[in-house]
């Protein structure tokens, strides 16, 4: 059984990296209701374009202030042309932040913590945040108006998503998720939310980054966030089982109108389906 007392502590704080690209004034003129933190990779410009055209459009919800940010590390190998292209994209869209760590799968935790520290330093009064992956079909209107409800008082210590119970460390040494006892000694993970998409209130983002400095870093990002929550004593809020989906479902406009997220959608599928999805919403 997992207990908060078993959360591994660290003798060294989580390493901090300088920002190479930053949007320090994104929240300067208003406090957003929702900030979308989207881990991406420097070379995946096409996916970022697709998200800007669809669920990442900051003007999608009239009267609701939404901000989005793509979270990037640095590619390996580096190239001058790639760096220049990224700078142009950043200057054009003002929605990219980047820190000086290698953009690898094992650094996803660093990428998420970059989002948390950005929140704490540059957007501390935002109401809610959602960390969401790029391969999701996401319905922001359902999240905002059905779940978060702007007319209601903002929740405190709120964290929710697709909950994973009684997860265990991967023991297959050939798996990219392999975790030795030196990395994680317990037999069970804490209850956590899948990193495909989770929602948290503004005050939780700052708390997570603060406590993360006391814990032993873990490369499995969503489990590490779960460890932070356990140490903070923040309980994950359970949602109705029909709101979030972590698997691929063939597109159906009626079914998707009742889902906040669906997993495993490519940029091509996202752009192709979005017009129909938005048209169907107007009919409903």
């Amino acid at each position: 059984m997992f207990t908060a007392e078993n959360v591994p502590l660290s003798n060294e704080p989580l390493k901090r990296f300088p920002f190479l690209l930053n949007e320090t004034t994104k929240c300067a003129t208003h406090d957003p209701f929702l900030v979308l933190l989207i881990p991406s990779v420097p070379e995946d410009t096409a996916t970022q374009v697709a998200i800007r055209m669809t669920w990442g459009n900051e003007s999608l919800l009239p009267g609701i202030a939404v901000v989005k940010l793509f979270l990037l590390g640095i590619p390996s190998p580096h190239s001058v042309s790639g760096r220049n292209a990224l700078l142009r994209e950043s200057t054009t869209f003002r929605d990219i932040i980047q820190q000086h760590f290698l953009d690898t799968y094992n650094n996803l935790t660093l990428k998420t913590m970059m989002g948390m520290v950005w929140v704490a330093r540059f957007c501390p009064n935002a109401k809610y945040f959602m960390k969401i992956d790029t391969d999701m079909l996401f319905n922001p209107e359902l999240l905002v108006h059905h779940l978060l409800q702007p007319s209601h008082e903002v929740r405190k210590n709120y964290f929710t998503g697709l909950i994973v119970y009684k997860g265990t460390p991967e023991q297959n040494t050939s798996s990219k998720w392999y975790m030795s006892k030196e990395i994680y000694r317990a037999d069970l993970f804490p209850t956590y939310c899948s990193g495909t998409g989770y929602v948290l209130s503004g005050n939780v983002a700052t708390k997570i980054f603060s406590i993360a400095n006391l814990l032993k870093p873990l490369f499995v990002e969503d489990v590490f966030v779960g460890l932070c929550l356990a140490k903070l004593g923040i309980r994950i809020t359970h949602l109705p089982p029909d709101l979030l989906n972590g698997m691929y479902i063939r597109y159906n406009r009626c079914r998707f109108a009742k889902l906040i997220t669906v997993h495993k959608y490519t940029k091509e599928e996202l752009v192709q389906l979005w017009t129909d999805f938005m048209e169907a919403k107007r009919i409903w």
Side-chain angles (χ1 to χ4, degrees):
M1 179 178 178
F2 178 88
T3 64
E5 288 72 23
N6 293 332
V7 175
L9 301 180
S10 175
N11 293 324
E12 297 182 7
L14 194 72
K15 189 173 181 181
R16 300 192 184 195
F17 296 86
F19 279 96
L20 301 177
L21 295 172
N22 202 354
E23 293 297 329
T24 60
T25 61
K26 195 81 171 173
C27 302
T29 60
H30 64 287
D31 296 329
F33 181 78
L34 177 66
V35 176
L36 300 176
L37 301 172
I38 311 167
S40 188
V41 293
E43 58 271 22
D44 200 7
T45 301
T47 295
Q48 288 154 201
V49 169
I51 290 172
R52 291 185 187 108
M53 294 169 58
T54 57
W55 53 258
N57 183 343
E58 293 179 355
S59 61
L60 195 62
L61 302 177
I64 303 296
V66 177
V67 161
K68 74 171 180 308
L69 285 172
F70 294 103
L71 315 179
L72 307 179
I74 58 174
S76 179
H78 311 294
S79 73
V80 174
S81 61
R83 175 65 180 170
N84 289 339
L86 184 59
L87 286 172
R88 287 193 297 270
E89 185 181 2
S90 173
T91 301
T92 301
F93 297 103
R94 315 305 312 186
D95 60 4
I96 295 172
I97 61 174
Q98 180 187 42
Q99 282 186 342
H100 197 277
F101 57 81
L102 284 179
D103 201 303
T104 65
Y105 180 82
N106 282 359
N107 280 342
L108 280 175
T109 296
L110 295 178
K111 194 175 284 187
T112 296
M113 290 304 114
M114 171 176 63
M116 299 296 178
V117 73
W118 184 89
V119 166
R121 291 176 61 185
F122 304 111
C123 203
N125 296 319
K127 307 301 186 296
Y128 294 99
F129 298 84
M130 183 173 192
K131 182 265 179 180
I132 182 167
D133 285 349
T134 56
D135 60 348
M136 305 296 285
L137 199 156
F138 168 47
N139 185 345
E141 183 175 22
L142 192 64
L143 171 70
V144 169
H145 292 298
H146 178 74
L147 182 63
L148 301 180
Q149 300 180 338
S151 61
H152 290 197
E153 185 176 351
V154 177
R155 300 171 179 89
K156 296 295 183 184
N157 293 332
Y158 180 76
F159 194 102
T160 193
L162 189 64
I163 301 178
V164 180
Y165 299 97
K166 297 183 178 180
T168 57
E170 175 61 64
Q171 297 300 302
N172 182 355
T173 56
S174 64
S175 170
K176 70 175 181 178
W177 296 290
Y178 169 67
M179 199 173 295
S180 68
K181 287 292 185 180
E182 287 72 26
I183 295 174
Y184 188 83
R185 295 189 178 185
D187 294 327
L188 286 177
F189 291 140
T191 299
Y192 65 96
C193 288
S194 166
T196 54
Y198 49 75
V199 181
L200 53 155
S201 55
N203 71 313
V204 173
T206 301
K207 289 183 177 184
I208 286 176
F209 182 75
S210 297
I211 199 70
N213 286 300
L214 304 179
L215 305 186
K216 184 177 180 180
L218 196 66
F219 71 91
V220 184
E221 170 264 339
D222 45 12
V223 174
F224 183 72
V225 172
L227 289 170
C228 292
L229 296 175
K231 198 64 179 176
L232 290 165
I234 295 175
R235 301 187 65 176
I236 296 172
T237 298
H238 294 239
L239 296 180
D242 56 348
L243 281 180
L244 300 166
N245 195 287
M247 306 294 290
Y248 178 83
I249 305 173
R250 187 181 296 275
Y251 175 70
N252 177 287
R253 57 161 58 176
C254 294
R255 186 175 185 185
F256 276 41
K258 301 174 183 177
L259 291 170
I260 292 175
T261 59
V262 185
H263 197 198
K264 293 293 183 184
Y265 269 80
T266 66
K267 55 184 178 293
E268 293 84 5
E269 290 173 311
L270 187 59
V271 172
Q272 180 183 4
L273 297 173
W274 193 254
T275 299
D276 179 77
F277 184 60
M278 295 301 289
E279 181 63 33
K281 283 160 62 66
R282 282 190 285 271
I283 297 171
W284 296 319

